[in-house]
Coordinates of all heavy atoms in Angstrom, one line a residue:
L85 N -23.6 58.8 -49.0 CA -23.5 58.5 -47.6 C -24.0 57.1 -47.2 O -23.5 56.3 -46.4 CB -24.5 59.6 -46.9 CG -24.3 59.7 -45.4 CD1 -23.0 59.7 -44.9 CD2 -25.2 60.6 -44.8
L99 N -14.0 42.6 -40.5 CA -12.9 42.6 -39.4 C -13.3 42.0 -38.0 O -12.4 41.2 -37.4 CB -12.6 44.2 -38.9 CG -11.8 44.9 -40.2 CD1 -11.7 46.4 -39.6 CD2 -10.5 44.4 -40.3
E115 N -3.9 25.3 -27.1 CA -4.2 24.0 -26.6 C -3.3 23.0 -27.1 O -3.0 22.0 -26.5 CB -5.8 23.7 -27.0 CG -6.7 24.7 -26.1 CD -8.2 24.4 -26.5 OE1 -8.4 23.2 -27.0 OE2 -8.9 25.2 -26.2
Y158 N -7.0 -18.4 28.0 CA -7.4 -19.5 27.3 C -7.1 -19.3 25.7 O -7.4 -18.3 25.2 CB -8.9 -19.8 27.5 CG -9.3 -20.2 28.8 CD1 -9.7 -19.3 29.8 CD2 -9.1 -21.5 29.2 CE1 -10.1 -19.6 31.1 CE2 -9.4 -21.9 30.5 CZ -9.9 -20.9 31.4 OH -10.2 -21.4 32.7
M195 N -3.6 -21.1 30.1 CA -2.2 -20.5 30.4 C -2.3 -19.6 31.7 O -3.3 -18.9 31.8 CB -1.6 -19.7 29.2 CG -1.4 -20.4 28.0 SD -0.4 -19.5 26.7 CE -1.3 -18.1 26.5
I227 N 9.9 -8.5 -5.7 CA 11.2 -7.9 -5.5 C 11.5 -6.9 -6.6 O 11.2 -7.2 -7.8 CB 12.3 -9.0 -5.4 CG1 12.1 -10.0 -4.4 CG2 13.7 -8.3 -5.1 CD1 12.1 -9.6 -2.9
G256 N 19.0 -6.7 2.2 CA 19.5 -5.6 1.1 C 18.6 -5.6 0.0 O 18.6 -4.7 -0.8

Side-chain angles (χ1 to χ4, degrees):
L85 185 63
L99 288 174
E115 287 180 24
Y158 290 97
M195 297 189 305
I227 304 292

